[in-house]
Amino acid sequence: MNKFIVLLFTLMGMSLFAQERYTISGYIKDADSGEKLIAANVLDVNTIKGSISNNYGFYSLTLPAGEIDLVCSYIGYEDARKTFTLDKDITVNFNLETANVLDEVVITASKESNIEKRTQMSQIKVNVKDIERIPTLLGEVDLIKALQLLPGVQGGTEGLNGMYVRGGSPDQNLIVLDGVPVYNVSHLFGFLSVFNTDAIKNVTLTKGGFPARYGGRLSSVLEINMKEGNEKEYHGEGSIGILSSRLTVEGPIAKDKSSFMVSGRRNYMDLLMKPLIKRQAKRNGEDMDIDAYFYDLNMKLNYKLNDNHTLYLSSYLGSDNFGSDIRDNYGDNYYDKTQAGIDWGNVITAMRWNWQINSKLFANTTLTYSQFEFDFLAGEENYDEDGLKAIEARYKSGIRDFGGKIDFDFIPTPTHYIRFGVGNTYHTYNPGAIVVKGTYEEQFNEFLSNQKKLYSHEYQAYIEDDINLGAFKTNVGLHFSGFNTGNVNYISLQPRLGMRYLLTNRLSLKASYADMTQYINLLTNESLGLPTDLWVPSTENIKPQRSRQVAFGLASTLDKGLEASVETYYKTMNNVISYKEGATFLNQTEDWERKITQGKGEAYGAEFLLEKKRGKLTGWLGYTLSWNNRQFDDINFGKTYPYKFDRRHDIELVTTYKLKDNIILNATWVYGTGNAITLQESQYQFHNGSYTQNVTVMGDKNSYRMPAYHRLDLGIEFVKQKKWGERAWNFSVYNAYNHRNPFYIYLGSDYDEQTHETKKIFKQISLIPILPSFSYRFKF
Amino acid sequence: MKKILLIAVLMTLVSCNDFFEFSVPIEVEPHESKIAPGALLGNMVNNENQNNIYVSRSKGALDNTNTPLYLSDATVTLTSGNDVFIYTESQDHPGLYTPEDEIVFTAGQQYELTVEKSGFQTVFASQTFPAQVPIISATYDNEFLKVKFKDTAQQQDYYAVEMFRITPSGTAPCDLKPFGSNTINSSTNYARLLFSDETFDGNNYEFKARFETQGNNDGTQYIVYLHHITADYYKYDKALGMNNDVGNNPFSEPVIMYTNIEQGYGIFGMSNTSEFMIE
């Protein structure tokens, strides 16, 4: 089989050119750590032909025989140059040295080659080091909150980790960690994300113009890759903050052959709260214990078998645990005990095998496992002279995936970069099981309300080609996907197209079209990012979601390290899901399919990004003008209404100023149109002969706008080089001018002490006031 | 270093104050009160339904007053072609308007309801009186009530079923419980179950409801009513049920209350009823 593949692609390669050509291939790495560099450029200055490295640092460039002047470049690194005569296929590896950037801070929302040169539009590569400098809530560096500062990406409810990309909902984001989908990204009920930035190597967010290799979600793909571990020497880094601390260690297992990375983080709210709560409970004659913490652990190993084969094993394990246990003792031995708890977490694992089949063909085979589980427990025990009586209710839900895929990169000539692959994922869904056990009543011995488990296969195949014709570049592809669940089989063929035309050497026009299909759905309450959210499949009754997105844009590199881009997009979505009116996710006795309805969505708008990449002052200014509507036959009487997070204006200003070599100032300001919500409007009475009832009248769906959201965050970082490495103190103030941003609005009442009247009033609850914090970082 | 630590600790302490909640009053546009008639009319006349119309007025969500919401001294008129049916307000029940004469509704004919009152916008609604759907058969055992009828093809039809137990001591509604996902409890009349012809359009259909006979059935008769109701009746009833269920639950999706009253709230719905006696 392997020989067949080699033969096939060798023949394909031969057929594409008749002239004598040879292939230069190899890996591009960081010289200090051995980390592979993704999307680094390789250019032959003589022919002006080039290539870029893939996700594993591999590149391939086929050129006519002759003199070669090869330059390898990557932002933040010194260029490397190699000259030689090309008269056979050869391997040329590059180890790039970190550039001396002491006199400037490079903060970017996008790296790679100049923005106007890239075919891919609507994609942002985020530098993890930059994220660490953005002022944060409680000093906790958070990847998702940093992404919310990019145009086209909106945060949902204040402080939480919702990500709403170009009018999509959070379930329409495919979030993958080392190629494995992560189903719940929330720690601390959504106030933090599960991604520990110390363990992350690179982050890419794609909002549109999806190449054919992506599929399975409608609105975005967020690819996060973990660090591979330093191949040369042992290093570590960590931080101590108000909420949590983290520590990362990496190093070689066998130098230049194998390395590891382990990164852990734990929050210690329980350690701080436990003694206080216990003392207070003791005063009330009770024993009380609490759980209130989260932890996560990232691990990665790689082993280079030889020049052509490398194995990777990466894993993430994280859990949140919140609960209390109260015991009230009386008499000599008797007691009452109540307990309640809520736990959730993800486990993911990926095993990858990189195989450089030949100098033009590279394969990556991945086996994946992903699991998300939610568990809620409430129980009561009573022990007295009649013996032990107990009752316990437990609710469990979750999703588990086993997957496998193989992806190929085939680079026959500098004009073509072909990617293709196949994959399959086996999903198991647990949409919620309630188990009640007890001794109070016989019928309570075991009551089971079990929404039956569901199983499905999701499979896909794709092929795409990056075609470089000089001023015109295009990416053409086709994504095929299928979904089999129960007796239903859905298939979908999704064409993809991306184009770039260089109007001048520094200005390009871009366009893209993407057709996407999504087979799994998240049932979620829009207002809260609770982990009770359920993942469920498309079924006979619930059709797959589908979107079509077209985008146009201009991109340019300006003077003084400035880059500017403007993109407009129009996206239609079919079969998007929503809870029906009156439905509640808390009602687990009702079949989930009966609680939801499907409808249409439409989102369009324009995104502007002005980015300054070099100099003492760096950062970006983003502005999004957008419209986002939904239409469901069963909601709002079929009338179109604005989506809750329809945000007409969204502005983000992110700046970093290097005051001195060791002092860095940071400021972030955000502004967003208020969320659209439904408020009670009035009430009247209905009477039917024998009884009268009050009827509450809500305004039209999402017809009320909450006040606008805006916030300024400030930060300052003091960095110092030490004998053992580097340390940094970071002080930040979240919501510096203490703006009372709306969290939610409810109908409440106020008592007027002068008139002694109670007055009904709509009240806005604001969650996060001015909030100073600090953290301490170190590296060794 | 000590200074930095001291500042850090102070900042942390300051940040703990009022962390979780501070509330701000929100201004909303004042509400303009509207007329909200409740008119579910039909050809089944009994103690509960005498084709009366209750007229309420709306009050804003922030209205603190305890003034009754019924609307007196309104002019309530039902018309159909040249026929005009005058309603007068009951002396005993303010806000309840009764027809001066008995109304005989004609299937397929359009009826228009108008309610006027000075200081309010006049409200209108219209309905076409549905055709009667005869019951082919009705039976019960100790588990189910079964009612068979033929649905009219190629039109969206809505139905309500109720049953009364007739004993020497009197007549009382039976407690029917929905069976199958297509059936819901009525919220305008708790004895009724509602359903649509979505799954059996144009066919003979046997409606089933869970029903348990009570005690000794000797001498007991049951009478079954099949109400062919208008779409507006069904939609309003369903929305009202969800509205009641949701209450103040913040975790429920909001229910947008249905109305077919132009310029106002409430409902004008109609039903044509057939009956079947189970001996």
Side-chain angles (χ1 to χ4, degrees):
Chain A
M1 182 65 182
N2 294 342
K3 284 179 182 170
F4 173 76
I5 293 170
V6 173
L7 182 66
L8 176 70
F9 287 100
T10 307
L11 289 172
M12 282 174 73
M14 285 170 67
S15 67
L16 286 167
F17 51 88
Q19 189 184 341
E20 199 172 14
R21 289 165 177 258
Y22 298 102
T23 301
I24 310 158
S25 63
Y27 289 88
I28 304 169
K29 295 181 178 181
D30 178 304
D32 295 332
S33 66
E35 286 273 350
K36 312 255 174 45
L37 299 178
I38 299 170
N41 289 285
V42 180
L43 180 77
D44 173 37
V45 177
N46 296 334
T47 57
I48 317 293
K49 301 283 184 190
S51 184
I52 59 166
S53 59
N54 70 7
N55 275 356
Y56 311 97
F58 173 77
Y59 78 94
S60 172
L61 183 61
T62 301
L63 296 170
E67 292 305 310
I68 300 295
D69 185 357
L70 207 57
V71 177
C72 179
S73 61
Y74 191 66
I75 283 190
Y77 288 81
E78 301 285 357
D79 290 356
R81 188 168 211 148
K82 292 189 180 179
T83 53
F84 50 91
T85 304
L86 184 64
D87 53 6
K88 60 180 179 183
D89 287 352
I90 61 165
T91 300
V92 178
N93 294 323
F94 287 97
N95 293 300
L96 301 187
E97 300 284 347
T98 311
N100 180 6
V101 289
L102 287 178
D103 57 341
E104 65 180 36
V105 175
V106 179
I107 183 165
T108 59
S110 61
K111 287 198 167 179
E112 223 182 271
S113 58
N114 287 352
I115 187 171
E116 71 277 4
K117 300 288 192 305
R118 279 175 269 145
T119 317
Q120 177 67 52
M121 64 187 302
S122 313
Q123 187 178 70
I124 298 173
K125 290 178 184 289
V126 179
N127 185 354
V128 178
K129 291 295 154 208
D130 299 339
I131 293 172
E132 290 178 346
R133 294 210 172 94
I134 294 173
T136 56
L137 177 63
L138 292 170
E140 294 290 329
V141 177
D142 194 276
L143 172 64
I144 303 287
K145 290 206 178 65
L147 295 174
Q148 289 172 353
L149 297 172
L150 298 169
V153 184
Q154 296 165 0
T157 308
E158 183 183 25
L160 301 186
N161 268 317
M163 209 168 76
Y164 298 81
V165 181
R166 288 190 173 172
S169 50
D171 68 319
Q172 294 174 357
N173 305 319
L174 176 63
I175 301 177
V176 288
L177 182 60
D178 273 358
V180 192
V182 182
Y183 285 103
N184 186 289
V185 298
S186 292
H187 274 320
L188 272 179
F189 300 94
F191 282 97
L192 281 179
S193 74
V194 297
F195 304 111
N196 174 355
T197 48
D198 283 354
I200 295 172
K201 177 181 170 184
N202 65 297
V203 178
T204 307
L205 175 70
T206 309
K207 303 177 287 183
F210 302 98
R213 59 186 178 275
Y214 296 135
R217 299 292 191 280
L218 300 193
S219 290
S220 81
V221 178
L222 176 61
E223 280 184 291
I224 302 161
N225 290 308
M226 282 192 240
K227 285 178 185 168
E228 287 162 14
N230 196 311
E231 285 183 351
K232 313 282 183 190
E233 51 192 18
Y234 294 101
H235 282 286
E237 62 183 304
S239 77
I240 299 165
I242 294 171
L243 271 184
S244 69
S245 290
R246 50 188 206 260
L247 179 66
T248 302
V249 180
E250 59 181 324
I253 297 170
K255 201 172 177 186
D256 292 328
K257 196 170 178 67
S258 174
S259 64
F260 75 95
M261 185 279 301
V262 179
S263 183
R265 177 168 61 157
R266 194 196 192 275
N267 137 286
Y268 27 71
M269 215 152 64
D270 56 331
L271 303 179
L272 300 172
M273 288 164 67
K274 246 181 193 178
L276 298 171
I277 288 172
K278 276 193 160 189
R279 198 181 310 156
Q280 185 61 37
K282 208 163 190 177
R283 282 186 196 145
N284 299 333
E286 292 172 339
D287 281 342
M288 185 169 180
D289 201 8
I290 60 153
D291 276 336
Y293 67 94
F294 71 80
Y295 68 87
D296 53 44
L297 191 63
N298 291 270
M299 291 169 289
K300 193 157 179 178
L301 296 171
N302 71 78
Y303 183 74
K304 191 174 166 185
L305 295 168
N306 56 39
D307 285 347
N308 296 330
H309 297 274
T310 308
L311 296 176
Y312 297 86
L313 174 67
S314 48
S315 189
Y316 166 88
L317 172 69
S319 179
D320 282 64
N321 302 274
F322 296 88
S324 66
D325 201 335
I326 305 168
R327 186 179 161 123
D328 192 1
N329 299 306
Y330 58 94
D332 291 336
N333 299 311
Y334 302 139
Y335 65 89
D336 284 331
K337 188 174 157 187
T338 55
Q339 60 179 136
I342 180 170
D343 304 339
W344 70 93
N346 296 282
V347 178
I348 71 162
T349 301
M351 285 175 66
R352 283 189 292 175
W353 167 36
N354 279 184
W355 175 25
Q356 187 190 328
I357 299 169
N358 61 34
S359 57
K360 292 176 185 144
L361 183 63
F362 183 92
N364 178 51
T365 307
T366 314
L367 296 175
T368 64
Y369 174 77
S370 179
Q371 175 189 297
F372 165 65
E373 273 194 352
F374 170 77
D375 189 359
F376 172 79
L377 171 76
E380 199 176 283
E381 257 181 52
N382 170 252
Y383 182 64
D384 59 18
E385 53 271 12
D386 296 329
L388 180 69
K389 293 173 196 151
I391 186 164
E392 177 189 294
R394 184 162 220 134
Y395 167 77
K396 285 185 112 165
S397 67
I399 183 169
R400 191 177 60 204
D401 284 0
F402 288 99
K405 59 178 181 169
I406 180 161
D407 302 284
F408 294 92
D409 286 20
F410 177 51
I411 311 123
T413 70
T415 311
H416 295 274
Y417 195 127
I418 300 167
R419 294 178 178 91
F420 58 97
V422 293
N424 180 63
T425 304
Y426 179 62
H427 303 283
T428 304
Y429 315 82
N430 179 4
I434 302 170
V435 179
V436 181
K437 292 179 184 172
T439 53
Y440 279 102
E441 300 288 345
E442 212 166 88
Q443 64 265 34
F444 259 145
N445 271 343
E446 186 157 320
F447 160 75
L448 191 68
S449 160
N450 201 352
Q451 303 256 16
K452 61 182 177 190
K453 280 190 179 175
L454 299 159
Y455 307 91
S456 63
H457 279 282
E458 185 174 359
Y459 46 94
Q460 70 277 333
Y462 67 87
I463 183 161
E464 63 174 82
D465 188 7
D466 252 327
I467 305 167
N468 187 350
L469 302 171
F472 181 71
K473 268 181 90 175
T474 183
N475 179 293
V476 187
L478 197 59
H479 184 97
F480 166 80
S481 67
F483 192 75
N484 181 274
T485 180
N487 298 322
V488 191
N489 193 47
Y490 292 108
I491 57 167
S492 164
L493 206 54
Q494 302 151 46
R496 312 284 173 77
L497 178 67
M499 292 183 291
R500 180 224 68 185
Y501 181 71
L502 276 176
L503 296 169
T504 70
N505 196 36
R506 297 174 82 177
L507 176 67
S508 67
L509 178 66
K510 296 184 182 185
S512 68
Y513 171 80
D515 193 328
M516 306 289 279
T517 301
Q518 176 169 339
Y519 299 103
I520 66 171
N521 311 288
L522 180 66
L523 304 186
T524 182
N525 180 289
E526 281 181 4
S527 52
L528 297 165
L530 287 177
T532 51
D533 294 348
L534 286 184
W535 285 96
V536 289
S538 292
T539 64
E540 198 171 355
N541 302 317
I542 308 297
K543 307 295 178 207
Q545 300 184 49
R546 190 150 192 183
S547 74
R548 291 185 173 88
Q549 185 183 163
V550 60
F552 296 95
L554 285 168
S556 180
T557 299
L558 310 170
D559 292 332
K560 297 180 180 174
L562 282 168
E563 273 187 358
S565 67
V566 55
E567 288 191 10
T568 59
Y569 65 92
Y570 179 78
K571 180 160 76 173
T572 58
M573 295 171 275
N574 285 318
N575 298 327
V576 291
I577 64 163
S578 173
Y579 274 120
K580 286 179 182 169
E581 288 183 3
T584 169
F585 69 93
L586 291 175
N587 179 5
Q588 290 299 328
T589 55
E590 190 179 1
D591 184 5
W592 63 268
E593 282 191 74
R594 294 191 60 196
K595 290 194 280 191
I596 63 172
T597 181
Q598 293 195 281
K600 295 175 188 165
E602 178 191 54
Y604 52 96
E607 296 164 4
F608 304 86
L609 179 65
L610 180 66
E611 193 177 0
K612 188 168 187 302
K613 289 184 166 182
R614 289 186 170 77
K616 279 183 177 292
L617 178 69
T618 55
W620 69 86
L621 173 65
Y623 169 65
T624 308
L625 173 70
S626 65
W627 286 261
N628 185 5
N629 297 315
R630 295 287 188 273
Q631 190 274 324
F632 294 83
D633 290 343
D634 292 337
I635 297 175
N636 204 35
F637 310 116
K639 286 187 286 182
T640 299
Y641 63 89
Y643 188 53
K644 179 175 180 179
F645 300 107
D646 169 44
R647 197 163 292 174
R648 195 71 63 247
H649 306 285
D650 201 42
I651 303 171
E652 308 89 15
L653 177 64
V654 179
T655 58
T656 292
Y657 183 72
K658 192 157 191 175
L659 192 64
K660 292 181 180 175
D661 280 352
N662 62 338
I663 302 177
I664 299 164
L665 304 174
N666 301 284
T668 302
W669 185 73
V670 292
Y671 172 91
T673 304
N675 293 340
I677 59 167
T678 311
L679 277 189
Q680 183 183 334
E681 192 175 275
S682 61
Q683 69 173 69
Y684 65 90
Q685 285 183 329
F686 175 82
H687 179 86
N688 189 26
S690 54
Y691 52 87
T692 302
Q693 52 186 316
N694 287 326
V695 181
T696 301
V697 180
M698 307 299 286
D700 276 352
K701 176 86 174 172
N702 292 347
S703 57
Y704 180 80
R705 285 284 170 174
M706 286 170 126
Y709 181 98
H710 52 95
R711 192 188 82 227
L712 173 71
D713 304 334
L714 300 170
I716 183 166
E717 189 171 63
F718 301 95
V719 185
K720 194 166 188 178
Q721 300 301 322
K722 304 290 249 185
K723 281 181 192 166
W724 46 264
E726 180 189 286
R727 69 104 178 106
W729 279 100
N730 188 303
F731 298 89
S732 60
V733 183
Y734 186 90
N735 195 5
Y737 54 80
N738 197 26
H739 182 244
R740 297 184 169 195
N741 286 306
F743 182 64
Y744 72 92
I745 290 175
Y746 71 100
L747 181 58
S749 58
D750 264 357
Y751 179 72
D752 189 327
E753 289 187 355
Q754 289 181 335
T755 60
H756 301 290
E757 282 180 356
T758 301
K759 194 178 161 190
K760 283 185 184 172
I761 191 166
F762 281 113
K763 283 186 174 178
Q764 169 194 299
I765 293 295
S766 299
L767 202 58
I768 308 176
I770 181 171
L771 206 57
S773 61
F774 69 96
S775 65
Y776 175 78
R777 285 195 293 114
F778 57 89
K779 270 184 194 175
F780 57 88
Chain B
M1 175 59 90
K2 281 180 183 172
K3 281 182 185 171
I4 290 174
L5 279 174
L6 182 64
I7 292 166
V9 171
L10 285 173
M11 287 166 80
T12 310
L13 290 174
V14 167
S15 71
C16 290
N17 287 337
D18 298 330
F19 181 77
F20 276 111
E21 179 180 323
F22 48 104
S23 60
V24 185
I26 288 290
E27 293 295 323
V28 293
E29 285 188 13
H31 174 71
E32 183 190 347
S33 186
K34 294 178 180 175
I35 297 174
L40 297 177
L41 311 182
N43 62 347
M44 178 183 165
V45 178
N46 58 27
N47 287 337
E48 287 192 351
N49 181 3
Q50 298 177 358
N51 284 326
N52 296 336
I53 295 172
Y54 182 78
V55 181
S56 171
R57 63 173 178 85
S58 66
K59 70 172 189 177
L62 301 181
D63 191 334
N64 259 341
T65 59
N66 290 320
T67 319
L69 288 180
Y70 59 75
L71 195 63
S72 286
D73 302 326
T75 304
V76 178
T77 315
L78 186 70
T79 59
S80 178
N82 293 327
D83 296 332
V84 179
F85 306 99
I86 304 295
Y87 275 73
T88 52
E89 190 174 8
S90 161
Q91 297 296 315
D92 301 329
H93 298 100
L96 190 68
Y97 295 80
T98 56
E100 288 185 349
D101 302 305
E102 185 186 350
I103 309 173
V104 179
F105 297 108
T106 307
Q109 202 151 315
Q110 183 163 305
Y111 292 84
E112 288 178 8
L113 175 70
T114 307
V115 183
E116 296 171 88
K117 163 86 180 176
S118 64
F120 291 86
Q121 276 194 300
T122 301
V123 300
F124 313 89
S126 67
Q127 290 281 273
T128 300
F129 192 66
Q132 194 174 55
V133 177
I135 298 172
I136 297 168
S137 66
T139 57
Y140 73 88
D141 53 29
N142 200 29
E143 192 177 3
F144 288 113
L145 163 71
K146 296 173 184 171
V147 182
K148 200 169 180 182
F149 61 93
K150 179 160 175 45
D151 178 63
T152 308
Q154 294 179 342
Q155 64 180 44
Q156 187 84 58
D157 291 296
Y158 298 90
Y159 299 96
V161 165
E162 66 185 325
M163 183 161 76
F164 286 85
R165 178 185 290 109
I166 303 168
T167 61
S169 56
T171 300
C174 297
D175 184 17
L176 301 178
K177 292 192 168 58
F179 177 75
S181 59
N182 190 30
T183 307
I184 58 171
N185 285 106
S186 167
S187 295
T188 57
N189 185 326
Y190 293 145
R192 294 181 182 181
L193 296 179
L194 308 183
F195 55 99
S196 74
D197 69 349
E198 200 175 341
T199 57
F200 58 87
D201 182 43
N203 296 319
N204 277 341
Y205 181 66
E206 186 175 75
F207 168 80
K208 275 185 182 177
R210 288 195 183 280
F211 164 64
E212 287 181 21
T213 53
Q214 292 169 354
N216 187 356
N217 280 322
D218 289 347
T220 303
Q221 288 181 309
Y222 291 95
I223 186 164
V224 178
Y225 294 104
L226 176 67
H227 310 281
H228 189 196
I229 61 177
T230 56
D232 290 325
Y233 186 135
Y234 179 85
K235 289 174 185 171
Y236 182 82
D237 200 318
K238 190 177 174 186
L240 186 64
M242 291 193 293
N243 199 299
N244 294 342
D245 290 344
V246 165
N248 294 319
N249 184 353
F251 298 112
S252 288
E253 297 300 314
V255 175
I256 313 298
M257 195 57 213
Y258 184 76
T259 184
N260 63 345
I261 307 292
E262 288 180 46
Q263 320 283 1
Y265 300 126
I267 180 64
F268 174 31
M270 300 192 92
S271 64
N272 196 345
T273 305
S274 60
E275 61 183 60
F276 192 96
M277 185 72 80
I278 306 175
E279 299 291 342

